[in-house]
């Protein structure tokens, strides 16, 4: 096999090329010469670079690992980090699935794709860096400096290995009709997605995930066999493990960044429509239930995002002169996309059919002695309940409408506690775990924000706060900070009888992350509905508030004191009660980014 060093050195490729004095063009996986004369294309392993990256010299775990004898590593350090991935990171990324793209497909690809090996090594090094950094923060102050130096060395090696992987990826020409090219490109997008999340670059991660998913969709579109949405139509070209992993990524994208592309949501929510109609009334095994649940979740959140997009389009079409240019999540009676109400009801029935078919397996799994089965079954139920709440809530015009889901919120909290207890048997309690992106944090976040029962929402926040350290991307901590902010504001409006009136309920409508700016790391904008001064045929009047968190506040879940400077008083004059205040969101966005009118027009 070739390595990064070999690929960059002219005339130092394969032994056959050098012996015949023919320059190897170093095309992967088979160079042009070997392809033309139809002979094996064997790459020579070179000696490691003498400039070794800095590594901790006293980490016991790495010293105990033995390098693989079959994979070709640039140096001993790569072998140690590869084993760290094999024994830790891939098991955590796989979560409850014993045979996944992380634990099987990528490890197999390391034997014939050098860039995959480099990427796997990088993930193993990031694993060590993040966990060592966590120990530095939570451990004794006297050891903090030493632990941070070790964590930085792990990260230095991880970044160097990632750079080498990217050099190899640059040679890939993705062609959906070419099985080898397609599979290689899908693997590349998969590892980039993982690493960019660990680097706190969710934008880059989700973009790469979408690039890979688009390639997969092109390939599926060329197949005569219809896409069931449950498995790969040709596993000899695209493994089921890769197919399922991209399904998870697509769901993550639909949940996080839904409203940007209306045609895509309209198309993708139709995936597996025939399969869902034929869904059994009772599932036989947990794996069958998981595949149907993932398909239904993808369809549900694409419909939800389509409703947001149509809401925004309707606001643009109506063009009320005093209409707040607000996000699609804010629904008023005059903006409800009525043409989607029938689809909403159908999709809600599908979710409830799944819950009914899953009931026997859920009851059996929760009594199982296997913590893996317990956690996975509880998690599937939690996510299904949250999907039902989210889809219903997309069409709500009143925050009080969420109160009907109190039994579901209670069940989400109860099952989340069960998942937490089971996970303590699977993973170390005092260390981050690479379990992303589909876990209990979103359902718990929604419970804290939309359930106005004080004890239930406090229980949800408690679970989020006590388990946030387990998320290496720190996204759970950010979710917890946002939810805590909303809960604190609402609890101040709770009436003596314990209820929260409609005008005392707040919702987050806009979030801006500055991952590289510690002093202005996260900004959120929220609002509450004051009323309909011109009637419900017009948009509601709302009060708006903004809050900016530093990186420490956002990730350590520290709540800074509130001040009136955070209030958008200039945009919603108190003297104007006849019309809702108009907010130009482009101006808000540019202001938070520090742009001026001149830079915006340049």
């Amino acid at each position: 096999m070739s390595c990064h060093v070999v690929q960059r050195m002219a005339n130092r490729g394969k032994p056959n090329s050098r012996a015949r004095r023919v320059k190897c063009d170093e095309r992967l996986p088979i160079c042009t010469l070997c392809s033309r004369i139809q002979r094996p294309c064997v790459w020579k392993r070179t000696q490691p670079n003498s400039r070794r990256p800095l590594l901790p010299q006293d980490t016991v775990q790495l010293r105990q690992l033995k390098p693989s004898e079959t994979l070709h590593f640039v140096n001993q350090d790569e072998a140690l980090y590869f084993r760290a991935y094999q024994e830790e990171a891939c098991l955590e990324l796989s979560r409850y699935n014993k045979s996944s793209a992380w634990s099987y497909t990528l490890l197999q690809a390391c034997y014939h794709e050098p860039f995959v090996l480099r990427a796997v090594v990088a993930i193993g090094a990031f694993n060590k860096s993040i966990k060592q950094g966590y120990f530095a923060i939570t451990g004794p102050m006297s050891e903090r400096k030493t632990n941070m130096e070790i964590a930085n060395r792990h990260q230095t090696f991880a970044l160097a290995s990632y750079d080498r992987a990217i050099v190899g990826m640059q040679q890939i020409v993705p062609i959906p009709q070419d099985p080898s090219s397609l599979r290689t490109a899908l693997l590349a997008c998969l590892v980039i997605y993982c690493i960019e999340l660990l680097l706190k670059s969710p934008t880059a991660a989700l973009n790469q995930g979408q690039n890979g998913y688009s390639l997969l969709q092109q390939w599926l579109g060329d197949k005569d066999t219809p896409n069931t949405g449950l498995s790969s139509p040709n596993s000899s070209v695209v493994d089921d493990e890769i197919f399922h992993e991209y399904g998870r990524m697509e769901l993550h994208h639909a949940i996080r960044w839904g409203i940007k592309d209306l045609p895509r949501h309209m198309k993708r929510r139709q995936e597996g429509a025939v399969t869902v109609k034929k869904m059994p009334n009772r599932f036989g095994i947990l794996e069958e239930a998981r595949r149907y649940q993932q398909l239904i979740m993808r369809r549900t959140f694409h419909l939800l995002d389509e409703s947001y997009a149509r809401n925004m389009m309707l606001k643009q079409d109506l063009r009320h002169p005093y209409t707040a240019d607000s996000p699609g999540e804010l629904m008023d009676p005059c903006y409800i996309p009525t043409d989607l109400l029938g689809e909403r009801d159908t999709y809600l029935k599908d979710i409830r059919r799944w819950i009914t078919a899953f009931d026997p397996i859920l009851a059996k799994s929760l009594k199982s002695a296997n913590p893996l089965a317990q956690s996975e079954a509880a998690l599937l139920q939690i996510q299904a309940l949250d999907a039902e709440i989210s889809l219903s809530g997309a069409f709500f015009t009143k925050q009080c409408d969420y109160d009907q889901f109190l039994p579901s919120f209670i069940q989400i909290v109860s099952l989340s506690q069960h998942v937490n207890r089971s996970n303590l048997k699977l993973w170390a309690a005092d260390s981050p775990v690479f379990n992303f992106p589909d876990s209990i944090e979103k359902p718990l976040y929604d419970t804290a924000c939309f359930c106005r029962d004080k004890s239930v929402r406090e229980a949800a926040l408690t679970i989020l706060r006590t388990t946030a350290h387990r998320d290496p991307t720190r996204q759970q901590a950010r979710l917890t900070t946002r939810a805590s902010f909303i809960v604190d504001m609402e609890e101040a409006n709770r009436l003596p009888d314990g209820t929260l009136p409609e005008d005392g309920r707040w919702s987050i409508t806009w979030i801006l992350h500055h991952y590289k700016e510690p002093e202005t790391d996260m900004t959120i904008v929220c609002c509450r509905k004051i009323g309909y001064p011109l009637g419900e045929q017009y948009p509601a009047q709302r009060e708006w508030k903004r809050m900016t968190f530093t990186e420490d506040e956002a990730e350590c879940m520290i709540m800074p004191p509130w001040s009136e400077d955070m209030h958008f008083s200039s945009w919603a004059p108190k003297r104007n009660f006849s019309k809702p205040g108009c907010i130009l969101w482009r101006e808000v966005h540019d202001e938070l980014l520090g742009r001026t009118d001149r830079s915006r027009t340049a």
Side-chain angles (χ1 to χ4, degrees):
M1 298 293 290
S2 67
C3 69
H4 168 65
V5 178
V6 173
Q7 293 171 1
R8 294 196 305 173
M9 297 173 64
N11 291 323
R12 297 188 184 182
K14 303 189 304 303
N16 292 338
S17 299
R18 297 179 65 191
R20 297 182 59 191
R21 299 194 178 189
V22 177
K23 184 176 179 179
C24 174
D25 63 1
E26 300 182 357
R27 182 179 178 184
L28 292 175
I30 303 175
C31 74
T32 302
L33 177 62
C34 292
S35 176
R36 191 179 70 227
I37 64 178
Q38 297 184 348
R39 71 176 179 188
C41 189
V42 181
W43 290 83
K44 179 181 179 180
R45 179 188 176 190
T46 59
Q47 295 298 320
N49 194 324
S50 59
R51 296 178 61 186
R52 294 161 59 96
L54 290 174
L55 277 176
Q57 301 299 318
D58 56 351
T59 48
V60 177
Q61 286 181 314
L62 287 183
R63 286 206 311 267
Q64 291 176 344
L65 301 176
K66 296 181 180 179
S68 170
E69 298 178 358
T70 55
L71 290 169
H72 300 290
F73 298 104
V74 172
N75 51 41
Q76 179 78 3
D77 302 329
E78 277 202 341
L80 297 175
Y81 283 121
F82 175 82
R83 188 59 61 86
Y85 171 87
Q86 192 177 34
E87 296 185 351
E88 282 188 45
C90 79
L91 300 178
E92 296 172 0
L93 288 168
S94 299
R95 191 185 288 275
Y96 311 123
N97 193 1
K98 295 181 180 179
S99 178
S100 72
W102 306 105
S103 62
Y104 176 76
T105 310
L106 284 178
L107 291 177
Q108 290 294 320
C110 288
Y111 288 87
H112 53 83
E113 293 291 354
F115 80 85
V116 176
L117 179 57
R118 304 285 93 78
V120 162
V121 167
I123 295 173
F126 277 122
N127 180 317
K128 292 293 180 184
S129 174
I130 291 172
K131 293 181 178 179
Q132 195 73 40
Y134 174 76
F135 294 144
I137 295 174
T138 59
M141 182 64 68
S142 59
E143 300 177 6
R144 177 167 298 184
K145 182 178 179 180
T146 300
N147 284 330
M148 286 305 300
E149 289 176 353
I150 294 174
N152 291 336
R153 291 172 184 173
H154 286 312
Q155 186 176 37
T156 298
F157 189 93
L159 292 172
S161 187
Y162 185 31
D163 287 342
R164 289 192 287 270
I166 290 176
V167 172
M169 296 175 197
Q170 290 173 344
Q171 303 180 36
I172 301 172
V173 180
I175 304 174
Q177 294 76 20
D178 179 6
S180 177
S181 170
L182 172 65
R183 190 174 188 276
T184 302
L186 292 176
L187 290 174
C189 291
L190 184 62
V191 294
I192 292 177
Y193 167 80
C194 175
I195 293 175
E196 291 296 338
L197 280 181
L198 297 178
L199 288 173
K200 294 185 180 180
S201 299
T203 301
L206 291 169
N207 285 341
Q208 285 298 326
Q210 281 302 294
N211 290 340
Y213 194 79
S214 296
L215 285 174
L216 187 61
Q217 290 297 308
Q218 292 179 41
W219 175 71
L220 291 171
D222 294 335
K223 304 295 293 181
D224 295 332
T225 306
N227 175 24
T228 65
L230 298 179
S231 59
S232 171
N234 188 345
S235 57
S236 63
V237 176
V238 176
D239 314 54
D240 280 343
E241 290 81 7
I242 295 179
F243 184 89
H244 293 148
E245 202 60 44
Y246 271 95
R248 287 177 64 194
M249 282 196 292
E250 172 65 3
L251 177 59
H252 186 208
H253 183 274
I255 292 174
R256 183 182 175 89
W257 276 8
I259 62 177
K260 296 202 170 192
D261 192 341
L262 177 59
R264 178 164 57 194
H265 295 310
M266 294 174 62
K267 179 180 179 180
R268 293 186 180 178
R269 73 174 176 83
Q270 302 293 340
E271 178 189 5
V274 176
T275 303
V276 173
K277 287 182 180 180
K278 298 180 179 179
M279 183 171 60
N281 296 325
R282 179 171 179 170
F283 297 121
I285 57 175
L286 190 59
E287 173 65 18
E288 180 186 25
R290 183 179 63 82
R291 295 192 180 192
Y292 273 99
Q293 188 253 30
Q294 189 179 84
L295 173 60
I296 290 175
M297 291 274 289
R298 291 200 302 271
R299 286 165 48 84
T300 296
F301 279 96
H302 277 303
L303 176 61
L304 185 148
D305 295 333
E306 182 181 340
S307 73
Y308 291 158
R310 289 188 180 277
N311 185 10
M312 296 182 70
M313 290 175 61
L314 187 58
K315 290 179 180 181
Q316 295 173 2
D317 291 341
L318 292 178
R319 294 185 179 277
H320 292 306
Y322 43 82
T323 297
D325 179 19
S326 56
E329 290 87 344
L330 288 182
M331 188 69 71
D332 287 318
C334 59
Y335 290 140
I336 294 178
T338 54
D339 55 333
L340 290 181
L341 292 177
E343 296 290 325
R344 176 204 62 182
D345 294 341
T346 299
Y347 281 49
L348 286 173
K349 289 179 181 177
D350 291 339
I351 296 173
R352 291 160 187 159
R353 285 172 51 219
W354 183 91
I355 291 175
T356 300
F358 185 61
D359 276 343
I361 291 183
L362 176 64
K364 180 179 179 181
S365 299
L366 293 181
K367 296 177 182 178
S368 170
N370 183 359
L372 277 173
Q374 293 180 18
S375 292
E376 182 175 12
L379 180 60
L380 292 177
Q381 180 78 356
I382 290 169
Q383 292 170 339
L385 293 171
D386 183 63
E388 180 184 13
I389 296 169
S390 298
L391 181 55
S392 300
F395 294 82
F396 287 164
T397 60
K398 298 179 180 178
Q399 289 288 306
C400 289
D401 292 340
Y402 282 103
D403 294 348
Q404 63 186 284
F405 287 105
L406 179 58
S408 295
F409 288 129
I410 293 174
Q411 189 177 8
I412 286 174
V413 170
S414 175
L415 289 173
S416 296
Q417 293 169 340
H418 194 104
V419 169
N420 204 25
R421 289 192 297 269
S422 297
N423 284 346
L424 291 176
K425 303 175 184 178
L426 299 171
W427 321 109
D430 58 348
S431 174
V433 181
F434 284 57
N435 287 163
F436 59 85
D438 49 354
S439 190
I440 59 176
E441 59 267 16
K442 182 189 179 299
L444 287 172
Y445 170 80
D446 289 343
T447 299
C449 290
F450 302 126
C451 175
R452 271 61 181 210
D453 183 283
K454 187 174 182 179
S455 61
V456 175
R457 70 188 331 188
E458 286 295 341
L461 279 176
T462 298
I463 300 174
L464 284 171
R465 291 190 184 108
T466 56
T467 59
H469 69 278
R470 301 174 72 85
D471 175 15
T473 68
R474 305 301 293 161
Q475 291 303 313
Q476 182 172 329
R478 292 167 175 272
L479 284 176
T480 307
T481 300
R482 301 199 308 249
S484 299
F485 176 67
I486 291 295
V487 170
D488 287 349
M489 284 202 304
E490 289 190 343
E491 290 303 319
N493 298 323
R494 193 174 290 278
L495 299 177
D497 62 359
T499 61
L500 268 175
E502 179 70 23
D503 61 2
R505 303 187 182 206
W506 291 82
S507 58
I508 295 178
T509 60
W510 198 69
I511 304 165
L512 179 65
H513 293 285
H514 297 275
Y515 288 102
K516 307 301 180 182
E517 301 178 20
E519 295 304 313
T520 57
D521 185 75
M522 180 177 71
T523 297
I524 62 176
V525 175
C526 59
C527 69
R528 70 182 180 94
K529 187 182 300 181
I530 298 175
Y532 295 93
L534 300 182
E536 292 193 0
Q537 67 272 28
Y538 293 99
Q541 184 180 13
R542 290 180 169 88
E543 178 186 6
W544 304 84
K545 289 188 179 182
R546 177 182 64 187
M547 183 71 171
T548 297
F549 299 85
T550 67
E551 184 177 29
D552 287 341
E553 291 168 348
E555 297 190 355
C556 298
M557 298 171 284
I558 302 172
M559 191 59 54
W562 175 261
S563 70
E564 281 300 317
D565 294 338
M566 304 168 187
H567 185 252
F568 287 139
S569 57
S570 60
W571 293 343
K574 295 181 179 180
R575 66 178 183 275
N576 183 1
F577 289 103
S578 60
K579 299 178 182 179
C582 179
I583 293 183
L584 299 178
W585 285 89
R586 172 53 57 187
E587 293 181 5
V588 180
H589 183 266
D590 290 345
E591 175 193 339
L592 295 177
L593 290 179
R595 297 175 181 171
T596 62
D597 292 338
R598 180 178 298 177
S599 65
R600 185 164 58 246
T601 57

